[in-house]
Amino acid sequence: QVILVESGGGAVQPGGSLRLSCWTSGFRFNNYVMHWLRQTPGKGLEWVAVIWNDGSKVSVAETVKGRFNISRDNSKGTLDLQMNSLSAEDTGVYYCARGISRFEYWGQGTLVTVTS
Amino acid sequence: VIMTQSPATLSVSLGERATLSCRASHNVNTNLAWYQQRPGQAPRLLIFNAYARATDIPARISGSGSGTNFTLTVSGLQSEDSGVYFCQHYNKWPQYTFGGGTKVEI
């Protein structure tokens, strides 16, 4: 059974930072491309970042480029998202998901609230 | 690529059929997926490659279309089919975009 569990969300002030983590089980983590997506009040569902199964290739959306960084630890089966210079527009639920182009499995999400 | 879904809300009765539309601003071939999101839950993959059902998705849920026009049909509606349905294209890696969703009320 594929399980993805996000953590690390919470309230942060504008300009602040958060690090999200995604813990996985039930599949061979190092075989799969992994993503972060978010669902915000302003833009709905939005793809955020992707990392190749061996970590050799990453890509982030233009809206977060230079502020967010995706990484993974294949020895632990974990996926991270380092988020810096956060603004109100980054408020939303953040999901990790498995898949190359379509998202086959999702975590339950973690809520990030950027507010002063 | 901008994905536009219609209608925004669809009210249907139990046992009836729901037809949801998704339109892409540019040709995405058949690189399209559909998801269902129930309240308080993450989206769940229903359809990929425009018409292929994901694991454990019943045959009463079907997808069709190619290019810029796509349809999701849910037949014999059950209470568990309520929620918001999203389409997503993946024609250009990794610039994936989602539609705004159609809320299905039963």
Side-chain angles (χ1 to χ4, degrees), chain A residues 33 35 37 39 44-47 50 52 57-60 95 100-109, chain B residues 33 35 37 40-45 47-49 55 86 88-90 93-100:
Chain A
V33 175
H35 302 258
L37 302 99
Q39 191 164 26
L45 276 170
E46 182 183 12
W47 171 81
V50 61
W52 222 239
K57 192 171 184 179
V58 301
S59 184
V60 297
Y95 298 99
I100 293 178
S101 52
R102 56 190 180 262
F103 309 110
E104 305 161 330
Y105 294 95
W106 301 59
Q108 86 290 348
Chain B
Y35 302 84
Q37 186 175 33
Q41 295 185 16
R44 177 180 68 139
L45 178 66
I47 298 288
F48 62 95
N49 292 351
T55 304
F86 296 96
Q88 173 234 337
H89 92 84
Y90 44 93
W93 190 93
Q95 296 172 20
Y96 316 126
T97 52
F98 290 83

Side-chain angles (χ1 to χ4, degrees), chain A residues 26-41:
Chain A
F27 65 101
R28 184 164 286 186
F29 182 70
N30 59 5
N31 280 358
Y32 291 91
V33 175
M34 297 294 296
H35 302 258
W36 284 100
L37 302 99
R38 65 185 182 183
Q39 191 164 26
T40 66

